[in-house]
Amino acid sequence: MPTPRSVLTHPVVWSIPVMALLAWISMPINDELYEFWVNYDPQGDAQQQESLHATRIFRYTSGVLGGQLLALLAGAALARRHSQATALAVAAPLGVLLAGVTVLVAYPLARAREAGHRVGPAYDDPVLVRVLLHELAGYPLLAAAGVGLGILLAGRRTSQRGALLILLGLIWYAAMQVGLAQDDEFGGPSWLLWAVPPIAAGTAVALAGLALDVWSDPPLLVGDGGSSAGIALLVGAGAYALGLNLLGVLVGRRRRRPTRTPPPESAADS
């Protein structure tokens, strides 16, 4: 019979409130993201309109970038408690659940901050809807990738696993910031978007926020609004999910393979 501690420490239990907390904490940060990364002092009608559009994208995507890392870590934690097949069966629905929690927390908070502005419903904004769907669809893929990662780390000591996961978190955060710093189009080699999911995720949000050309009359959408980066995120996350779990299968088979001891040598006849 499971103990209260084992229940409370199960990834399905602790990841949900952590996700809600991430989305809540991210909202005031994302609220200032435009002034931090793009224009710290928007002046005139055009810059104010760009600020409103970008800030709206950033608000409604609050928590998604951190949530993707959380989904990855939750998948890795599942691999420590269950077989690979069971962990994968739980990881994908858990990723969907975490995505739903992100929206349930971020949407009303973002909507409340728009109370003083004349804007339509968020679901009428095609750029916002597209980038949000791409970001949320990455959750179950990254949770599945986390299962494979957890299996690969299972043979290491607890201190080593902790150090590697902390390093992963720092690298993830740095890559995410690289993506958020993009302006109008991705400034690096395109293969980075496909190879590094947090760069693709951050780039998709940044380019969606800056997709409105406010200097034209009337303002027009330019570029693809981060759509290419969003697709790269999903392809890259899916590739990691497949590759890491295939490696996990191979590693698991090797660990289960019994070690054969050589037969004792027969004594020589005297």
Side-chain angles (χ1 to χ4, degrees):
M1 182 176 180
T3 63
R5 180 179 179 181
S6 66
V7 172
L8 292 175
T9 56
H10 195 281
V12 174
V13 176
W14 59 256
S15 63
I16 294 174
V18 171
M19 184 66 257
L21 183 62
L22 274 175
W24 180 71
I25 291 176
S26 299
M27 182 59 66
I29 298 174
N30 283 24
D31 210 26
E32 303 295 330
L33 207 57
Y34 176 84
E35 294 185 4
F36 182 79
W37 277 120
V38 184
N39 185 351
Y40 70 92
D41 186 22
Q43 299 288 332
D45 292 341
Q47 292 184 10
Q48 289 290 336
Q49 188 172 0
E50 181 184 65
S51 174
L52 287 174
H53 171 79
T55 301
R56 187 182 208 205
I57 298 291
F58 298 153
R59 283 171 177 165
Y60 280 96
T61 55
S62 290
V64 296
L65 301 181
Q68 290 166 358
L69 176 59
L70 176 63
L72 182 76
L73 296 177
L78 285 170
R80 295 191 60 197
R81 303 177 69 106
H82 304 287
S83 67
Q84 185 174 11
T86 302
L88 284 172
V90 176
L94 178 59
V96 174
L97 182 59
L98 293 177
V101 171
T102 306
V103 175
L104 287 175
V105 174
Y107 185 89
L109 292 175
R111 191 64 182 165
R113 289 171 183 259
E114 290 183 332
H117 304 286
R118 293 183 178 180
V119 292
Y123 50 78
D124 282 345
D125 186 336
V127 175
L128 172 57
V129 170
R130 184 168 58 242
V131 69
L132 191 57
L133 288 177
H134 283 154
E135 300 289 343
L136 296 176
Y139 279 55
L141 295 174
L142 289 167
V147 172
L149 177 64
I151 294 172
L152 296 179
L153 295 178
R156 297 184 178 274
R157 293 194 296 268
T158 302
S159 59
Q160 291 178 328
R161 286 198 304 268
L164 288 172
L165 290 176
I166 291 173
L167 179 61
L168 172 64
L170 293 174
I171 294 173
W172 192 282
Y173 177 79
M176 184 179 68
Q177 295 301 319
V178 169
L180 287 173
Q182 302 306 308
D183 186 5
D184 294 335
E185 62 181 12
F186 184 63
S190 59
W191 62 265
L192 276 176
L193 294 175
W194 304 89
V196 188
I199 291 183
T203 299
V205 172
L207 297 189
L210 299 176
L212 188 65
D213 181 8
V214 295
W215 302 105
S216 62
D217 188 17
L220 299 173
L221 293 175
V222 294
D224 65 356
S227 180
S228 297
I231 293 172
L233 162 66
L234 298 182
V235 173
Y240 277 109
L242 179 61
L244 289 173
N245 278 284
L246 287 177
L247 284 175
V249 170
L250 297 176
V251 170
R253 288 178 178 176
R254 175 173 293 185
R255 288 172 182 163
R256 291 191 298 268
R257 187 179 301 166
T259 56
R260 297 180 179 179
T261 56
E265 295 182 1
S266 58
D269 294 335
S270 55

